[in-house]
Amino acid sequence: MTSWLHEERLAAAQAVVVGSGASSVLDLGCGDGDLFIRLAREPQITRLVGIDLSPEALARLRERLKSEAPTACSIELHLASMTRYERRFGGFDCAVLIETIEHLEPESLSMLERAVFGGMRPRLVVVTTPNAEFNPLLGVPAHRFRRPDHRFEWSRERFGRWAQGVAERSGYSVSRRDLGGGHPELGGASQMAVFRAL
């Protein structure tokens, strides 16, 4: 994915987290830590926990943290799944899922919903995912996804239905916005949903 979109997505997620006043953040699917590093530098964040299924990604993030994120906040990294609730991942102010849900099989989304919105139950959840409608402008053929490891890519309407359903079933409100451009018909390259516990 192009670096301008990645940068805009990270900045948007960071702004929502910081603007919420969150001091404890759970990064679900933290990967190499592009957002994690940014959050580790935020003075208001006192606890930051990242989970991922890739030992290699977590190892790279550990190395990055040594030089890129001098911080006084408590940091933990765990090899774990975002679709399985564990008590240690409960009680956070905020959880972020940045370009992660599309890597799950669609039938696993109900497990993710139960784990995050039912078990972990942070007061704020930030989710971003590609906007399939924008793919032609990125040169992505109609029969392909942006990345080979994506299991689905949703239109804004489809993402909206999923987000609204999760919110209604779980006791959250939700708002959505486009990220990475504002085409009058196709929206942005990515899309974000912000869930707030009621």
Side-chain angles (χ1 to χ4, degrees):
M1 191 48 58
T2 52
S3 59
W4 65 268
L5 173 56
H6 190 52
E7 173 64 29
E8 182 166 331
R9 193 165 46 222
L10 294 175
Q14 182 180 6
V16 171
V17 173
V18 172
S20 75
S23 61
S24 60
V25 181
L26 183 61
D27 190 342
L28 301 171
C30 61
D32 293 354
D34 289 342
L35 179 61
F36 197 93
I37 295 288
R38 288 171 174 248
L39 296 177
R41 295 173 179 153
E42 290 289 348
Q44 79 184 43
I45 296 177
T46 58
R47 186 182 182 208
L48 184 57
V49 174
I51 74 169
D52 204 277
L53 285 174
S54 169
E56 295 80 12
L58 292 174
R60 289 191 293 270
L61 176 51
R62 284 189 185 93
E63 286 302 309
R64 291 184 67 184
L65 285 166
K66 292 177 182 178
S67 59
E68 294 184 46
T71 177
C73 82
S74 167
I75 288 178
E76 301 170 35
L77 298 177
H78 298 281
L79 186 66
S81 170
M82 71 180 79
T83 61
R84 174 175 288 174
Y85 170 64
E86 297 182 39
R87 184 170 298 189
R88 61 184 170 167
F89 301 140
F92 283 78
D93 293 334
C94 178
V96 292
L97 299 90
I98 306 305
E99 306 296 296
T100 56
I101 64 170
E102 65 275 5
H103 294 270
L104 300 174
E105 296 294 344
E107 56 268 25
S108 297
L109 289 173
S110 59
M111 295 172 59
L112 173 78
E113 180 180 337
R114 287 192 298 272
V116 175
F117 296 90
M120 300 174 196
R121 209 160 172 80
R123 62 180 178 84
L124 183 82
V125 182
V126 182
V127 179
T128 73
T129 194
N131 169 19
E133 297 167 73
F134 202 87
N135 283 354
L137 298 184
L138 298 174
V140 179
H143 62 284
R144 289 178 53 191
F145 295 141
R146 293 183 193 179
R147 293 177 45 136
D149 54 350
H150 286 183
R151 297 295 174 258
F152 64 87
E153 291 176 0
W154 280 341
S155 67
R156 290 170 294 165
E157 189 273 337
R158 179 66 186 85
F159 182 51
R161 282 192 285 115
W162 174 80
Q164 190 61 45
V166 169
E168 291 174 358
R169 289 186 294 271
S170 305
Y172 283 76
S173 66
V174 64
S175 60
R176 293 182 296 118
R177 60 174 278 205
D178 293 333
L179 298 175
H183 190 278
E185 296 177 3
L186 304 178
S190 193
Q191 49 190 332
M192 178 167 68
V194 178
F195 300 83
R196 291 179 170 85
L198 297 174

